[in-house]
Amino acid sequence: MSKQNIHPDQYCVFGNPIAHSKSPLIHAAFALQTGQAMVYDRRLAPLDGFALAARTFAAEGGKGANVTVPFKLDACALATELTPRAQAAGAVNTLRFDNETILGDNTDGAGLVADIVRNAGVSVAGKRILLLGAGGAARGVVLPLLEQGPQEMFIANRTVATAEALVAQFADALAHPGQLRAGGFAQPDGQFDIVINATSASLAGDLPPVPPGIFGRHTLALDMMYGAQPTVFMDFAAQHGAQVRDGLGMLVEQAAEAFYVWRGVRPQTQDLLAQLRSAL
């Protein structure tokens, strides 16, 4: 059977807005690199119509989808089966359609860990980690970070109760009591090895009000946002001696993890990451 006769499998990314998404570019590159017969496009779902849009796509023969803002909770509710990491996150960014089964997964945390450990070359094991924010973006990365065996992890948030609820949720996953703590933005004490900004402050050009003493020469400060210019958080961290990194690597790595969930093949990310970086 010649290649021309093979109908490529259909995938897409759902969001609102969605026109800015780099996912089609990323997955097209992965498909080419790994020789997978698939096509991937963007789909704008109505704010109150995600479930219908996803079910329609699956009925048309769609094999899987990525899910971005603001539908990650809707995707979690739609899934008939959740992976442990999606269950822990309470949010889904990857769906796999298999007859009647809709598998919900969350590859954000795995993407973040891969970017820190493989791309930045920084080990998480035995380190002090500060996670800024306790919303959906933060929730998705707590379990994968804990699985790396950090010495301690502090979740700082404007509303302390939200951060404390997150600590309570992951109590069973801790290696020792006190490994995961919570507090306000002003509370973290001493220098941290890794500081992750999971707040949306960078979108508004704002900075979480953290003490500058959390950064040092050995700190990796990572902002989940990315753009052509460093974020305010990255500038602030760099002024206080930290090595800085944006969220582009996390974006590519979580896509590679989603690709693996769908196709069982793990694409290489280095070249594509360099290519996307130079195109920003």
Side-chain angles (χ1 to χ4, degrees):
M1 187 157 129
S2 75
K3 269 261 167 78
Q4 281 71 23
N5 297 338
I6 298 173
H7 287 300
D9 290 335
Q10 308 277 329
Y11 295 88
C12 75
V13 56
F14 286 107
N16 189 330
I18 198 59
H20 66 286
S21 174
K22 292 194 186 323
S23 294
L25 185 74
I26 294 171
H27 285 286
F30 287 164
L32 194 65
Q33 181 203 117
T34 57
Q36 297 288 306
M38 57 184 280
V39 291
Y40 186 110
D41 58 19
R42 297 181 185 90
R43 292 220 171 181
L44 179 72
L47 290 175
D48 57 354
F50 169 77
L52 180 63
R55 283 204 182 94
T56 303
F57 179 67
E60 289 166 2
K63 297 283 188 195
N66 285 130
V67 182
T68 186
V69 178
F71 299 125
K72 292 185 182 186
L73 297 181
D74 297 303
C76 193
L78 178 72
T80 59
E81 208 177 289
L82 292 173
T83 63
R85 58 192 181 186
Q87 223 162 355
V92 159
N93 77 337
T94 302
L95 292 169
R96 191 175 73 205
F97 306 118
D98 191 7
N99 299 321
E100 295 306 300
T101 306
I102 302 175
L103 178 75
D105 199 355
N106 190 310
T107 65
D108 284 332
L112 176 72
V113 167
D115 187 51
I116 292 172
V117 176
R118 281 210 304 268
N119 300 338
V122 174
S123 168
V124 177
K127 300 292 177 65
R128 292 192 83 208
I129 300 176
L130 175 59
L131 181 62
L132 305 176
R139 249 174 37 191
V141 303
V142 174
L143 185 64
L145 284 168
L146 284 175
E147 286 173 343
Q148 294 291 308
Q151 179 199 327
E152 79 163 297
M153 193 158 138
F154 192 105
I155 302 174
N157 196 48
R158 199 177 303 279
T159 310
V160 177
T162 313
E164 285 172 343
L166 211 49
V167 169
Q169 189 188 325
F170 289 99
D172 293 347
L174 303 184
H176 56 84
Q179 189 185 21
L180 188 59
R181 296 187 297 136
F185 283 131
Q187 264 175 284
D189 52 332
Q191 282 183 14
F192 286 81
D193 301 297
I194 302 169
V195 180
I196 300 158
N197 183 17
T199 73
S200 55
S202 295
L203 288 175
D206 287 337
L207 190 66
V210 289
I214 61 174
F215 302 110
R217 278 191 312 118
H218 301 295
T219 306
L220 173 69
L222 186 145
D223 197 324
M224 286 190 184
M225 305 294 163
Y226 67 89
Q229 302 303 319
T231 65
V232 181
F233 168 79
M234 288 165 69
D235 282 340
F236 181 72
Q239 280 160 21
H240 294 94
Q243 307 295 313
V244 296
R245 190 169 184 85
D246 68 9
L248 189 65
M250 176 183 173
L251 174 78
V252 172
E253 294 295 344
Q254 65 78 24
E257 186 73 14
F259 193 89
Y260 178 73
V261 169
W262 295 327
R263 312 298 296 184
V265 179
R266 214 174 269 290
Q268 294 300 315
T269 53
Q270 296 294 338
D271 294 350
L272 178 61
L273 188 49
Q275 200 181 316
L276 289 171
R277 171 77 59 214
S278 62
L280 279 182

